[in-house]
Amino acid sequence: LKAKFVAEASGKPALADDSGICFPSLNDFPGVNTSPYRQGFSTMDDCFRDLAAKLKETGDTAAYVHCSLCLYY
């Protein structure tokens, strides 16, 4: 949606990305939905505490970063 908006507004090709941290033990949550997940908390500390508690329950803190790119023209 970001790339489409910019391309249509400018009349030129646009590149947009979404990225986020994924935890396999949490079914790759929060992934590219990191920002909407973070907005559910009043502070970043609260967000990190919630995520840490979820990870503690699984006993697995393995993680990776996922990045998706979209070129719209």
Side-chain angles (χ1 to χ4, degrees):
L1 291 175
K2 291 186 282 188
K4 181 181 178 187
F5 175 81
V6 171
E8 289 178 350
S10 69
K12 297 180 180 184
L15 182 66
D17 78 300
D18 268 315
S19 60
I21 191 166
C22 301
F23 295 95
S25 64
L26 300 176
N27 296 319
D28 295 331
F29 178 83
V32 294
N33 294 315
T34 300
S35 183
Y37 167 68
R38 181 179 52 85
Q39 292 173 3
F41 299 92
S42 57
T43 68
M44 283 299 292
D45 284 347
D46 290 342
C47 178
F48 290 138
R49 281 188 196 98
D50 181 71
L51 194 52
K54 287 178 165 97
L55 290 169
K56 188 175 182 180
E57 288 177 19
T58 71
D60 182 1
T61 58
Y64 66 94
V65 175
H66 175 95
C67 180
S68 296
L69 296 173
C70 175
L71 175 62
Y72 191 94
Y73 56 97

